């Protein structure tokens, strides 16, 4: 279905509203004695939400012992000798594991207080050595209560699913297209050039996102996401050349954008 965007003044305002929604859901799950499973991207899109969520956790005195964080992807190295894959060193500045530990788990843990943060065993990352296990784990958790989603700026990748991904794809290893790797230069400014961006990733599949999410919020802000916002607002169903459009086929989809991204998306294009 076509999703009408909810428009915010800027990424900070967006993050505050989305964080309050997540805090309500975390609180509601705790009262019902349920776990709460949050799907998370690395990168810039949800950063303001993670920051604002820490403020909510502190202000409300939330205990996060029932919260499970499901990271959507990670870069991997290919071992040419064995043709096997393994996650990159989690200490590298562009590691999604590093991002998740610092910007989500540690930040929320500091806000919650000692013994009240997300438990170490509740921080999940796909393993390229056994990608199927990630789907099984997510299914065993009962699915994902809320999957926060982001779109690649230049090619519409979602998690690391490239253009042309089958709509029923499960967690899998991908060779990253050049445009995805270029997009990631902006996502992780620690990269000094394209050669430093890894060539492989492990990612939740598009089918995993669609079938296992109870609701999704696609987040896009900033002028460089204008093309993404144009595609995301224009799609009724999954369009394989812009994989992030899968969010339109997910349960209870929402699209949160900022004024700049929407304004640039709506501006007439000029030709030379
Ligand atoms: N591996 C990350 C994804 O997890 C993220 O969703 C995407 C968008 O990042 P940004 O929000 O910075 O544009 O970038 C990378 O591909």
């Amino acid at each position: 279905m076509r999703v009408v965007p909810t428009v915010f003044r800027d990424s900070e305002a967006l993050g505050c509203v989305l964080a309050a929604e997540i805090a309500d859901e975390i609180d509601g799950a705790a009262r019902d004695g349920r776990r709460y499973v949050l799907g998370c991207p690395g990168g810039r899109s949800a950063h303001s939400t993670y920051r604002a969520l820490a403020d909510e956790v502190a202000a409300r005195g939330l205990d996060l012992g029932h919260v499970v964080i499901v990271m959507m992807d990670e870069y991997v190295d290919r071992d040419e000798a064995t043709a096997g894959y393994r996650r990159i060193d989690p200490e590298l500045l562009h590691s999604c594991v590093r991002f998740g530990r610092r910007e989500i788990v540690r930040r929320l843990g500091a806000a919650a207080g000692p013994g009240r943060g997300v438990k170490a065993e509740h921080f999940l990352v796909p393993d390229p050595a056994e990608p199927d296990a990630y789907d099984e784990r997510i299914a065993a958790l009962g699915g994902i209560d809320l999957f926060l989603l982001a779109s690649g700026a230049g090619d519409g990748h979602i998690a690391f699913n490239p253009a042309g991904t089958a709509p029923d794809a499960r967690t899998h290893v991908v060779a990253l297209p050049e445009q995805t790797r270029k997009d990631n230069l902006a996502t992780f400014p620690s990269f000094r050039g394209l050669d430093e961006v890894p060539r492989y990733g492990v990612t939740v599949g598009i089918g995993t996102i669609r079938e296992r999410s109870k609701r999704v919020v696609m987040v896009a802000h900033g002028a460089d996401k204008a093309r993404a916002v144009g595609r995301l607002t224009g799609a009724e169903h999954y369009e394989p050349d812009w994989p992030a459009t899968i969010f339109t086929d997910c349960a209870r989809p929402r699209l949160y954008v900022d004024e700049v991204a929407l304004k640039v998306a709506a501006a007439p294009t000029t030709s030379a």
Side-chain angles (χ1 to χ4, degrees):
M1 70 182 214
R2 199 183 291 266
V3 181
V4 177
T6 306
V7 187
F8 297 89
R9 188 179 65 249
D10 53 27
S11 64
E12 298 303 312
L14 186 163
C16 284
V17 169
L18 184 48
E21 290 178 21
I22 299 168
D24 285 347
E25 293 177 11
I26 289 173
D27 199 19
R31 287 176 201 278
D32 296 346
R34 289 182 286 116
R35 68 167 71 88
Y36 182 76
V37 184
L38 182 65
C40 294
R44 299 161 298 167
S45 297
H47 205 208
S48 62
T49 302
Y50 301 142
R51 287 198 305 268
L53 183 57
D55 293 341
E56 290 283 348
V57 166
R60 300 184 192 208
L62 297 179
D63 187 312
L64 306 176
H66 63 304
V67 174
V68 180
I69 301 294
V70 174
M71 295 303 290
M72 58 166 47
D73 55 11
E74 175 58 306
Y75 293 107
V76 300
D77 288 326
R78 180 180 154 91
D79 182 341
E80 294 301 336
T82 63
Y85 298 94
R86 61 170 176 268
R87 285 197 296 253
I88 60 164
D89 178 352
E91 293 308 314
L92 289 170
L93 290 175
H94 53 268
S95 160
C96 298
V97 171
R98 182 177 192 271
F99 178 96
R101 285 193 183 132
R102 292 169 70 99
E103 302 300 333
I104 307 173
V105 175
R106 203 183 296 170
R107 189 183 286 277
L108 296 184
R116 296 166 63 85
V118 176
K119 297 186 172 103
E121 66 269 27
H122 288 174
F123 177 70
L124 310 184
V125 183
D127 182 350
E130 44 174 4
D132 294 348
Y134 209 53
D135 281 68
E136 288 161 17
R137 186 80 193 274
I138 290 169
L141 286 167
I144 293 170
D145 290 285
L146 168 59
F147 217 137
L148 303 176
L149 303 174
S151 168
D155 65 357
H157 68 273
I158 182 168
F160 272 140
N161 292 275
T165 302
D168 58 355
R170 308 282 154 214
T171 302
H172 62 296
V173 173
V174 287
L176 302 176
E178 183 162 308
Q179 186 59 52
T180 298
R181 295 173 61 236
K182 282 182 177 163
D183 284 354
N184 276 258
L185 283 174
T187 292
F188 296 98
S190 50
F191 289 129
R192 283 167 301 182
L194 197 56
D195 279 351
E196 286 194 4
V197 183
R199 295 175 183 276
Y200 298 94
V202 61
T203 180
V204 290
I206 282 178
T208 317
I209 295 170
R210 182 172 55 82
E211 289 169 28
R212 296 295 179 199
S213 304
K214 296 171 191 166
R215 86 178 187 103
V216 300
V217 179
M218 172 65 72
V219 175
H221 52 76
D224 71 319
K225 290 295 173 88
R227 189 166 162 224
V229 168
R231 293 296 305 256
L232 297 170
T233 52
E236 278 184 48
H237 289 294
Y238 179 54
E239 297 173 0
D241 69 327
W242 199 273
T245 53
I246 194 66
F247 91 108
T248 61
D249 292 332
C250 292
R252 300 167 60 207
R254 304 296 302 273
L255 173 59
Y256 285 7
V257 306
D258 74 347
E259 287 174 1
V260 170
L262 195 64
K263 200 169 132 198
V264 180
T269 46
T270 50
S271 51

